[in-house]
Amino acid sequence: EMAKRAGRLYGIAVSNGTAALDLALRVLGIGRGDEVLLPAFSYVATASMVVMQGARPVFADVDPRNLCLDPVQTARRLSLRTRGVLCTDYGGNPCDYAKLSAICQRHGIPLIVDGAQSIGTLFDGRPALSYGTISTTSFHAAKTMTTIEGGMIFTDDAAIARRLRMLRSQGEDPGRKYYHIEIGHNFRMTEMQAAIGLMQLEKLDRLLAARQVLASRYHAHLAALGLPVPPGIPKSHNSYFLYALLVPQRDEIAARLKLQGIETRSCYPLPLYRQPVFEHLKHEICQVAEQACQSILNPPMFFGMTSEQQRRVARELAAAIEAIAPEHGELRKAV
């Protein structure tokens, strides 16, 4: 059922989104000495699963319009060792799949889509998860739809799908019980998780529509603040897993909001190459990612959130900016 929603021939359920990335990279033959190009602005698993294969993540900058992997920077960072491009749809805002796909086809390397935040995201009328040699997603409890914990891998290649099913289940031949062809993992999804997922799928259109309403309200309530909101690129449809704002003196403002009982997130506060686990890697500074990490703020966005609650977030955010960063400009009393 998920493969149908993703516009794919095959969907392979696994225990979580990180396991999905691990298996996707492994089945594509990514290994020691290889390089995989990926965005500097992403969740840690995007890079750590590359390292788990013995390969080296190469960090490229993001496009300020969608905070996703910049195709221009991607083309510039490719090398003779590049064996794949791994992209992410930040907060449900899609990558430029036309340009990224063309780059990968031109160089004969796979495009891998880390679609942990991509359910409901479209590019050029197609599901984001339909792009790439392989795409993955997450059903973590925080996601738009959930199996409480779980993930999935998508592909249109029958041989890849067969091997993925084998690797997720101890390397066992899918047609012969207790006959193990290669070393694998226990990355299976449980039947109970799958049952929850099927029920969530029945609600998915309603869940996605609710997030569009929440995003539209934030557009209206926050317009007077004049804060930058990544608009996306042409032909994109944002599923709004996250709502992204760029805020001056972000940490101080987030702390003040917390004192008012408003919890926020900053996805993500560090470029991946500044994470302690990756600091030893040689890298170039990615200016857009650096700026985004310093100012990104994700306000609360939950099912059942009322317009008045969102209006209160806007009022408290305006008050925090007036108190902490008045140089940002006079805020309209309409907020």
Side-chain angles (χ1 to χ4, degrees):
E1 291 303 311
M2 270 305 304
K4 292 176 188 175
R5 291 295 303 235
R8 290 290 201 172
L9 293 179
Y10 307 103
I12 297 88
V14 292
S15 52
N16 57 65
T18 302
L21 275 178
D22 188 353
L23 292 183
L25 292 162
R26 180 174 171 185
V27 80
L28 290 173
I30 305 296
R32 193 163 303 280
D34 294 339
E35 293 180 352
V36 176
L37 199 140
L38 51 88
F41 187 67
S42 187
Y43 184 58
V44 67
T46 309
S48 62
M49 289 304 99
V50 172
V51 175
M52 288 292 287
Q53 314 312 311
R56 177 177 178 266
V58 176
F59 304 106
D61 213 345
V62 293
D63 186 325
R65 297 174 297 170
N66 56 8
L67 301 181
C68 300
L69 189 61
D70 186 333
V72 174
Q73 296 298 318
T74 298
R76 191 175 67 83
R77 298 302 312 276
L78 294 176
S79 77
L80 294 176
R81 293 183 177 179
T82 305
R83 294 293 179 267
V85 172
L86 175 55
C87 61
T88 62
D89 297 318
Y90 179 76
N93 213 353
C95 300
D96 190 330
Y97 285 109
K99 292 180 180 178
L100 290 175
S101 297
I103 290 169
C104 289
Q105 288 169 9
R106 189 160 59 246
H107 292 272
I109 57 177
L111 176 65
I112 306 128
V113 178
D114 177 353
Q117 302 174 2
S118 303
I119 291 176
T121 295
L122 306 176
F123 178 77
D124 198 15
R126 284 175 51 185
L129 293 169
S130 72
Y131 289 91
T133 305
I134 290 181
S135 58
T136 69
T137 198
S138 168
F139 302 128
H140 182 269
K143 296 298 191 290
T144 301
M145 68 162 282
T146 184
T147 58
I148 310 304
E149 184 64 278
M152 191 164 281
I153 314 169
F154 302 100
T155 185
D156 296 323
D157 187 305
I160 287 177
R162 185 180 188 278
R163 186 159 178 243
L164 285 168
R165 291 193 180 99
M166 184 171 60
L167 289 173
R168 73 170 174 183
S169 189
Q170 306 288 10
E172 183 180 76
D173 186 332
R176 188 174 177 184
K177 192 70 177 169
Y178 302 127
Y179 188 79
H180 302 268
I181 298 172
E182 61 181 306
I183 299 298
H185 295 275
N186 178 4
F187 281 167
R188 295 182 296 267
M189 177 183 282
T190 69
E191 295 291 332
M192 184 173 291
Q193 288 171 306
I196 292 170
L198 285 168
M199 292 297 100
Q200 287 274 295
L201 258 176
E202 291 183 5
K203 304 174 184 177
L204 182 56
D205 289 332
R206 180 157 50 90
L207 298 176
L208 291 167
R211 296 198 86 76
Q212 294 297 320
V213 170
L214 292 172
S216 295
R217 285 180 188 161
Y218 268 140
H219 290 334
H221 295 326
L222 297 171
L225 276 67
L227 296 171
V229 176
I233 59 175
K235 300 183 180 181
S236 67
H237 173 77
N238 192 338
S239 60
Y240 287 105
F241 170 66
L242 298 172
Y243 193 86
L245 293 167
L246 300 175
V247 176
Q249 295 179 244
R250 188 268 320 283
D251 292 344
E252 293 89 340
I253 285 171
R256 182 181 173 111
L257 289 174
K258 188 172 183 177
L259 289 174
Q260 300 303 314
I262 297 172
E263 196 80 29
T264 61
R265 287 193 180 189
S266 294
C267 299
Y268 301 97
L270 288 174
L272 282 174
Y273 54 75
R274 294 200 186 279
Q275 291 286 354
V277 70
F278 302 128
E279 280 185 322
H280 65 286
L281 297 173
K282 183 180 178 182
H283 61 83
E284 290 185 12
I285 298 298
C286 298
Q287 293 295 343
V288 178
E290 292 277 350
Q291 293 164 9
C293 288
Q294 290 172 17
S295 58
I296 195 77
L297 185 76
N298 307 114
M301 195 173 181
F302 54 88
F303 297 113
M305 190 176 194
T306 66
S307 182
E308 180 50 43
Q309 287 173 321
Q310 290 184 281
R311 193 175 291 113
R312 178 171 175 263
V313 171
R315 286 197 302 265
E316 294 295 346
L317 181 56
I321 293 173
E322 289 278 19
I324 295 169
E327 69 279 6
H328 174 70
E330 185 177 353
L331 300 176
R332 316 299 195 274
K333 296 300 182 183
V335 175

